[in-house]
Amino acid sequence: MNRTLDALWPRPKPEQLLRRLLTSPDGLAAADGILDAAEQGLLQSGRGRGWSDADLPLLDEARALLEGGDHPHGHVIVDEAQDLTPMQLRMLARRSTGPFTVLGDIAQAAGPIAYRSWDDLLPYLGVEAQIEELRLAYRVPRDVLELALPLLPLIAPDVAAPIAYREGDEPPRFVQVEPEHLVAGAVREAGHEALREGRTALIAPATLIAGLEPLLPGPRTAFDELAAPIQALTPRAAKGLEFDRVVLVEPARIVSEADRIEGLRALYVALTRATKTLVVVHAEALPVELGLGLG
């Protein structure tokens, strides 16, 4: 009997439903007013390349529509929630019958959606929420945080500014070099910082990392990376980490490697990784958004 019913009224699989939708101009036309013609065409053009990580929330949504919801968990705890898209948040909502604890920092969002506040994000979880802002910053020293705070109204205008709890070892130091000496200068400053107590990171734009890493001392494999005296990281890779000493390379290029808000958020992340000292090495003028008036 089941075979007969399946033959007469076959139930589509989630991936079949989604593939049909994303390869059908008529189906995608239902998104008029949400996706323009170019965006609809972009969705169609990538269908021959298989599924990507970005498709998983869509597949999960299709599965929920065809097969019903799934609630295997009670209390769900989510960290770095500011990086999740609305569809990813809906995935989480379908997997809980109980409360959520949602953690993150809107100002450090690295995902595709630039939320202004938690009020923009939480409705996708479909739960009533009580928002608690932890404004005391115990990790970032006051003078380092003050350097980053001018960016906050631009990247997260509805987020209250954190309040630094302690002083650092010394104020941030700025080292300007000629363009041809940028890499050498950054490695030299990182070497000096690595001689001091604590862990040292060199945070640089993605376009400079490949030229910096071979010049740094220590192991180059993932297994013993933490044992290296200096870690070279992009702002995205440094997100969520902290170091005693940070050498930040070419802030202007960090901003210019992405659209303006995304770049400023990456710079905010990079500026707030240090717990003791921060050295900024640059050849280009510093971003005007920092309000320093330095060349």
Side-chain angles (χ1 to χ4, degrees):
M1 185 66 173
N2 288 339
R3 290 183 179 179
T4 302
L5 290 174
D6 287 340
L8 293 174
W9 295 286
R11 177 193 295 181
K13 295 181 179 180
E15 56 269 26
Q16 292 173 329
L17 174 63
L18 187 58
R19 185 174 285 108
R20 289 172 187 171
L21 172 64
L22 296 182
T23 56
S24 167
D26 291 337
L28 285 172
D32 285 344
I34 300 174
L35 301 175
D36 61 29
E39 291 169 330
Q40 293 177 33
L42 186 61
L43 285 174
Q44 293 180 59
S45 66
R47 287 308 97 204
R49 303 170 189 169
W51 302 112
S52 69
D53 289 346
D55 291 315
L56 292 179
L58 300 178
L59 288 165
D60 193 73
E61 188 86 16
R63 183 198 58 79
L65 291 171
L66 293 171
E67 302 173 6
D70 185 12
H71 302 289
H73 304 293
H75 191 163
V76 174
I77 301 174
V78 185
D79 196 11
E80 302 289 355
Q82 75 279 354
D83 292 342
L84 300 179
T85 67
M87 295 298 289
Q88 289 171 328
L89 292 167
R90 285 173 61 87
M91 283 181 67
L92 292 173
R94 284 192 290 272
R95 282 161 173 77
S96 175
T97 56
F100 281 90
T101 299
V102 178
L103 309 170
D105 184 351
I106 294 292
Q108 297 188 39
I113 306 298
Y115 301 107
R116 291 175 59 95
S117 72
W118 289 106
D119 289 331
D120 293 341
L121 181 154
L122 292 172
Y124 297 110
L125 290 174
V127 295
E128 294 185 5
Q130 178 178 343
I131 300 174
E132 297 288 348
E133 287 190 293
L134 306 180
R135 293 192 60 195
L136 283 181
Y138 293 95
R139 176 172 55 81
V140 185
R142 180 174 292 108
D143 44 14
V144 174
L145 188 60
E146 287 176 353
L147 177 61
L149 282 182
L151 303 176
L152 195 59
L154 304 173
I155 61 178
D158 296 333
V159 173
I163 302 168
Y165 183 76
R166 63 182 183 84
E167 301 288 344
D169 287 4
E170 58 196 48
R173 183 162 57 89
F174 297 87
V175 179
Q176 186 166 12
V177 297
E178 295 300 321
E180 62 270 22
H181 298 145
L182 178 63
V183 170
V187 171
R188 180 181 64 249
E189 294 298 332
H192 290 165
E193 292 299 302
L195 295 175
R196 307 171 74 177
E197 181 185 10
R199 298 174 62 211
T200 300
L202 192 155
I203 302 178
T207 53
L208 289 176
I209 283 290
L212 288 164
E213 284 185 320
L215 302 178
L216 297 176
R220 296 272 71 88
T221 65
F223 294 103
D224 50 11
E225 184 182 47
L226 293 178
I230 304 170
Q231 285 187 256
L233 303 163
T234 64
R236 178 179 286 273
K239 188 169 171 288
L241 303 178
E242 61 182 56
F243 300 89
D244 300 277
R245 321 284 175 186
V246 169
V247 175
L248 174 60
V249 185
E250 206 62 284
R253 195 180 301 188
I254 290 175
V255 176
S256 66
E257 280 188 347
D259 66 56
R260 180 171 176 268
I261 297 301
E262 183 181 349
L264 291 174
R265 285 185 165 180
L267 179 57
Y268 184 86
V269 168
L271 287 168
T272 54
R273 298 305 95 200
T275 65
K276 292 183 179 178
T277 57
L278 172 68
V279 180
V280 179
V281 180
H282 65 106
E284 301 178 29
L286 295 171
V288 296
E289 291 86 356
L290 292 175
L292 295 174
L294 300 177

